Amino acid sequence: MIEVKNLTKVYGDKRAVDGISFTVNQGEILGFLGPNGAGKSTTMNILTGYISSSSGEARIGEFDILENPLEAKRRIGYLPEHPPLYLDMTVQAYLEFVYQLKKVRMPMKPHIDDVCRRVKITNVQNRIIKNLSKGYRQRVGLAQALLGNPDVLILDEPTVGLDPKQIIEIRSLIKTLGERHTVILSSHILSEVQAVCDRVIVINKGKLVADDTADHLSHALTQDFRYIARIEGPEAEVEKLLSSLPGMESVECHGMKEEGVYEYTLEAQKDTDIRRNLFARLAERNWPLLGLKTTELTLEDIFLRLTSDQPVDMDEPDNGPMPDPREVPLENRAEHAVVSLDESAVEEAEAAEAAEKSTENGGGEV
Amino acid sequence: MMAILKRELSSYFTSPIGYVFLAVFYFFSGLFFYSVLYSNTTDITYVFSGLFTVLLFIVPLLTMRLLSEEKKQKTDQLLLTAPVSLTGLVMGKFLAALCMYAIALSVTVVYALILAGFASPEWMVVIGNIFGALLLGAALISIGLFISSMTENQMIAAVGSFAVMMFILMMDSFATMLPAAFSFVGTLLQSLSFMTRYTELTTGILNIGTVLFFVSVAVVFNFLTVRVLEKRRWS
């Protein structure tokens, strides 16, 4: 349904999107994951024909977005990062305008009412958009994208600014939309992408760093042999026992968390499952295991991991589509060389980006 | 295109801009018409020649936010990703402003009818005047729209348009002020004069060259507006 080949967008000397290729099949929900400034919105803007690519092609169905823009755009519903709303119009007037703008052929009133019902804005249909809350505005934006029942829905961070209840509603709405439409949705929230998408594409610095099903990806990424355990018992002895477990790499104690209960970080060797053994040995000594969880990977970890030198341990190694140096056009090679020479600077930037990210998420994202 | 035209037209009336435009237009045209009545003539020309200066000041009101505001509110993302061509988009905006202008101008028909109540005016002159005013309006609106497409701040668009309009107003006097060495610039300015051509129209002379001039200005600036929008996607 959507085919993107070697898409590149250059702003001055910055490559906002750098040779991205992927395809999306009919009825698939594809997640775009990436930090801010990774090129998600740029890619979406190119796909929808808002801006043009510097090179490469994007096709919606059989129509190229540059060669046959009107036909391609007719098949797309787009919710940009900022919903494009005319604040001085009522919701109804706005949707009627979009309906006419998109030259929808379905009967107007029932169609608009139907879309409003689906995104649950029927109760604000006659209110002026200026007076609506962020969550409602986002939904009006979504309604606008749904008008005309386009084959392809492109949603740029559709749940930003919504409260948790609305987020769940919108997610389940998107899931149901996936039955009728092909959906691309971007997000910087991993759990959201996992919850909604069949397949995930990870973008960083304009490059595609992973393309896999959500399950595979999260499996590959969370196959982490690190646990946090809470164990009741004398600290030194427990630590000694833990260290003696077969396959244990390192043990670190974080001190007392409850009366007589200590918390430890356990790191096992790869491909060793220490959990059963751990339980058995603790049970022998009658030291209750009060909690055991795998360390949760934050989005920052995942990006650092995906963008670090070590390849991600994918189930199918071929699936990690790092750009093949042979495929990179000559003029780009020089730049790749520069990038790799300047690794420390890149990492610095990455850390800064991650920091920015975490403050943003802390700022009441969910 | 029709959708954009309709939306723009209705947005003139949901914001004060449309009313301010109409009020200013009606006030001055009314004033000029009063002096026509006062001087006991059925020659409506004075209304139209007087409107030239007024138009230069109020047309930017119509055009300043047409495209700049879209960019600022990011609603251009909706328009540019909808199945509408850029030409359709620009024409929708242009025609909306032109319609608004025509609504204002229609008051002169009432004036003509009032005059007809006293004595029959020269109808061809009246029609020529209205037609000329429409042409001038189309040209000025396209210039304003072009300036609006270049910025995302409607104040800058307004001030920029005022500057250009002032220049158009003073073009003829500039031309005479230039030193002899630059006389070719003077000739150029004079040949581009809006005022001479418009004055000619108001006297009831319908010169094909004049009509073509205003139509060309409108076409050229609308074309340039389309190019500006197109360029923005490629940069």
Side-chain angles (χ1 to χ4, degrees), chain A residues 9 11 45 48-53 66 70 73-74 78 80 82 84-89 94 97-98 100-103 144, chain B residues 1 3-4 6-8 10-11 14-15 70-71 73-85 93 232-235:
Chain A
K9 178 74 183 174
Y11 288 114
N45 280 335
T48 52
Y50 177 58
I51 52 175
S52 62
S53 53
L66 285 181
L70 295 191
K73 286 173 184 176
R74 216 183 281 278
Y78 181 34
H82 305 269
L85 307 173
Y86 291 100
L87 300 181
D88 53 353
M89 294 173 101
Y94 172 72
F97 164 64
V98 178
Q100 286 160 354
L101 189 71
K102 289 187 172 181
K103 306 186 181 83
Q144 163 272 120
Chain B
M1 187 182 95
I4 292 169
K6 257 169 69 185
R7 202 205 73 78
E8 284 302 333
S10 72
S11 96
T14 51
S15 68
E70 299 277 1
K71 175 99 176 114
Q73 305 286 349
K74 312 232 181 231
T75 42
D76 60 335
Q77 272 186 314
L78 173 67
L79 301 181
L80 294 178
T81 58
V84 185
S85 67
K93 298 271 181 190
R232 202 185 278 160
R233 321 164 89 173
W234 289 92
S235 58

Side-chain angles (χ1 to χ4, degrees), chain A residues 230-277:
Chain A
R230 279 194 180 189
I231 298 163
E232 191 174 348
E235 187 190 345
E237 283 178 57
V238 172
E239 201 167 335
K240 216 168 115 197
L241 171 88
L242 292 174
S243 314
S244 69
L245 281 175
M248 185 67 81
E249 198 103 294
S250 69
V251 175
E252 195 187 336
C253 184
H254 296 304
M256 199 182 321
K257 297 289 170 181
E258 293 164 46
E259 192 58 43
V261 179
Y262 294 85
E263 192 172 271
Y264 306 85
T265 303
L266 314 175
E267 202 175 331
Q269 282 161 1
K270 269 197 172 204
D271 305 318
T272 334
D273 196 340
I274 56 160
R275 288 172 301 178
R276 288 173 190 83
N277 220 338

Side-chain angles (χ1 to χ4, degrees), chain B residues 136-153:
Chain B
L136 175 71
L140 296 181
I141 287 170
S142 68
I143 294 174
L145 184 60
F146 170 65
I147 293 170
S148 172
S149 74
M150 292 193 293
T151 168
E152 47 182 285
N153 183 326

Side-chain angles (χ1 to χ4, degrees), chain B residues 37-205:
Chain B
L37 288 180
Y38 192 74
S39 55
N40 229 346
T41 160
T42 59
D43 185 8
I44 201 169
T45 303
Y46 180 67
V47 174
F48 287 91
S49 54
L51 276 178
F52 180 74
T53 319
V54 178
L55 279 184
L56 291 176
F57 281 96
I58 61 175
V59 161
L61 276 183
L62 286 185
T63 59
M64 63 183 189
R65 38 162 282 288
L66 280 180
L67 286 162
S68 57
E69 203 57 12
E70 299 277 1
K71 175 99 176 114
K72 192 169 184 183
Q73 305 286 349
K74 312 232 181 231
T75 42
D76 60 335
Q77 272 186 314
L78 173 67
L79 301 181
L80 294 178
T81 58
V84 185
S85 67
L86 284 177
T87 317
L89 164 64
V90 171
M91 284 320 281
K93 298 271 181 190
F94 170 75
L95 290 178
L98 195 61
C99 278
M100 190 66 200
Y101 174 68
I103 292 171
L105 199 61
S106 61
V107 76
T108 56
V109 177
V110 179
Y111 296 159
L113 292 177
I114 293 173
L115 284 181
F118 296 108
S120 176
E122 280 189 72
W123 283 111
M124 289 327 277
V125 174
V126 173
I127 293 170
N129 264 319
I130 294 178
F131 182 63
L134 267 180
L135 282 177
L136 175 71
L140 296 181
I141 287 170
S142 68
I143 294 174
L145 184 60
F146 170 65
I147 293 170
S148 172
S149 74
M150 292 193 293
T151 168
E152 47 182 285
N153 183 326
Q154 51 171 320
M155 284 330 287
I156 292 178
V159 171
S161 306
F162 279 133
V164 173
M165 300 292 168
M166 285 301 283
F167 181 75
I168 288 174
L169 182 67
M170 295 191 283
M171 213 145 70
D172 299 81
S173 42
F174 276 146
T176 54
M177 272 157 38
L178 285 167
F182 293 104
S183 65
F184 68 98
V185 180
T187 325
L188 185 73
L189 285 181
Q190 261 164 352
S191 64
L192 289 175
S193 168
F194 277 54
M195 185 129 71
T196 350
R197 286 168 210 270
Y198 181 66
T199 318
E200 191 184 285
L201 277 175
T202 56
T203 55
I205 301 170

